[in-house]
């Protein structure tokens, strides 16, 4: 019997990237427009993950179409830009082990698999084996739900912001601060970061977001409220894109 076990999905070294708002992210779009062959494996049921997506899970992860939470391979994790992405995994049933991956599964990225290769998807389920799969990103089944926000360790001078429940991953974020738009950087744990430039004024925080396909949205976050899930005042969501596959 072949037993595949990944001991842990660690944050590893902290890496920051920056994406300019209003610009399409080709690396993300490639995951939607191409199909990749790889291995499907299991690493057991876990609550936490590199993306730090707190419970309750967003609609994009808790919809009945979603069959599993997964860790995506390091090369295509893209320094956590794929956190919250939905992926269609198709298993052939060919491989080794006791729990074959067969048929189509819509899964939700909440973690990184540091030892996985391009095309690999590691299921956060109890199971056994290594199975041939293909994977391709799809627009998440968000229904009529809107984008959500969560702050961690934030205050008027330092922002650490998670953007949740987007139909298509958000790859650029700006916040209005002292009358000017400030561009946030992205961290390996799936947050957007901003420091310096003075304090943010009391009251709703204006945020501008760019999705991987270039869509631009603006919303108002009601307040800084750490470790709570917040709804935007404008109730925005990335519009359905007919040119990209969907769940």
């Amino acid at each position: 019997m072949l037993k595949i076990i990944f001991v842990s999905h660690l944050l590893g070294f902290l890496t920051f990237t920056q994406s300019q708002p209003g610009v399409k992210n080709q690396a993300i779009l490639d995951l939607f427009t191409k199909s990749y062959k790889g291995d499907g494996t299991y690493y057991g049921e876990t609550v936490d993950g590199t993306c730090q997506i707190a419970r309750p899970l967003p609609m994009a992860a808790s919809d009945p179409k979603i069959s599993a939470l997964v860790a995506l391979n390091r090369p295509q994790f893209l320094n956590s830009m794929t956190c919250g992405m939905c992926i269609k995994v198709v298993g052939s049933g060919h491989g080794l082990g006791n729990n074959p991956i067969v048929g189509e599964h819509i899964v939700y990225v909440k973690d990184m698999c540091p030892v996985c290769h391009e095309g690999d998807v590691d299921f956060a389920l109890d199971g056994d084996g290594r199975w041939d799969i293909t994977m391709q990103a799809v627009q998440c089944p968000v229904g009529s739900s809107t984008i959500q926000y969560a702050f961690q360790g934030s205050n008027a001078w330092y922002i650490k912001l998670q953007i949740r429940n987007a139909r298509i991953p958000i790859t650029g974020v700006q916040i209005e601060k002292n009358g000017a738009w400030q561009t946030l950087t992205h961290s390996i744990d799936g947050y957007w970061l901003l420091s310096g430039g003075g304090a943010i004024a009391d009251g709703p925080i204006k945020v501008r977001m760019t999705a991987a396909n270039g869509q631009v949205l603006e919303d108002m976050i009601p307040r800084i409220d750490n470790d709570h899930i917040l709804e935007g005042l404008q109730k925005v969501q990335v519009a359905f894109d007919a040119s990209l596959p969907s769940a």
Side-chain angles (χ1 to χ4, degrees):
M1 180 181 72
L2 175 67
K3 183 69 175 178
I4 305 297
I5 299 175
F6 289 115
V7 175
S8 64
H9 291 266
L10 302 175
L11 285 180
F13 59 88
L14 198 60
T15 303
F16 296 95
T17 60
Q18 186 165 332
S19 179
Q20 294 299 322
V23 178
K24 292 182 181 180
N25 189 305
Q26 191 58 49
I28 296 286
L29 290 179
D30 284 347
L31 293 172
F32 283 94
T33 58
K34 301 177 183 179
S35 179
Y36 299 85
K37 292 182 179 180
D39 292 333
T41 49
Y42 301 93
Y43 71 105
E45 299 221 17
T46 63
V47 174
D48 299 322
T50 308
C51 299
Q52 297 191 34
I53 298 171
R55 271 53 176 173
L57 291 173
M59 178 69 179
S62 55
D63 185 273
K65 291 181 181 178
I66 301 297
S67 60
L69 305 178
V70 299
L72 188 59
N73 64 82
R74 180 189 286 274
Q76 293 174 311
F77 189 66
L78 299 174
N79 288 332
S80 82
M81 282 290 186
T82 55
C83 283
M85 173 182 273
C86 295
I87 293 175
K88 179 175 70 174
V89 175
V90 179
S92 66
H94 296 136
L96 295 172
N98 293 319
N99 302 109
I101 298 173
V102 180
E104 182 176 301
H105 305 266
I106 305 298
V107 300
Y108 182 87
V109 177
K110 64 98 175 176
D111 207 348
M112 176 184 69
C113 176
V115 297
C116 292
H117 303 290
E118 181 178 282
D120 293 353
V121 177
D122 202 11
F123 284 67
L125 297 172
D126 292 331
D128 171 66
R130 183 179 294 274
W131 307 96
D132 294 340
I133 63 165
T134 61
M135 55 149 281
Q136 184 175 11
V138 294
Q139 296 176 77
C140 283
V142 296
S144 60
S145 63
T146 60
I147 287 177
Q148 300 172 326
Y149 309 93
F151 290 97
Q152 185 183 89
S154 298
N155 53 54
W157 293 268
Y158 171 76
I159 296 296
K160 185 176 183 181
L161 172 66
Q162 183 183 73
I163 296 176
R164 303 160 42 99
N165 200 49
R167 177 180 274 113
I168 298 169
I170 299 297
T171 57
V173 177
Q174 292 178 306
I175 280 179
E176 191 176 65
K177 191 173 185 180
N178 298 325
W181 288 107
Q182 303 288 323
T183 299
L184 282 67
T185 56
H186 201 245
S187 67
I188 191 67
D189 57 351
Y191 281 81
W192 294 91
L193 310 176
L194 180 65
S195 60
I200 291 178
D202 292 339
I205 300 166
K206 192 171 184 179
V207 59
R208 178 186 289 166
M209 301 167 285
T210 302
N213 63 348
Q215 290 185 46
V216 179
L217 305 90
E218 291 190 4
D219 202 357
M220 301 289 287
I221 305 173
R223 62 193 176 278
I224 296 174
D225 188 359
N226 288 312
D227 304 318
H228 291 93
I229 298 167
L230 303 173
E231 301 286 342
L233 300 179
Q234 302 297 326
K235 308 292 184 184
V236 301
Q237 179 59 266
V238 181
F240 179 79
D241 188 334
S243 71
L244 301 178
S246 60

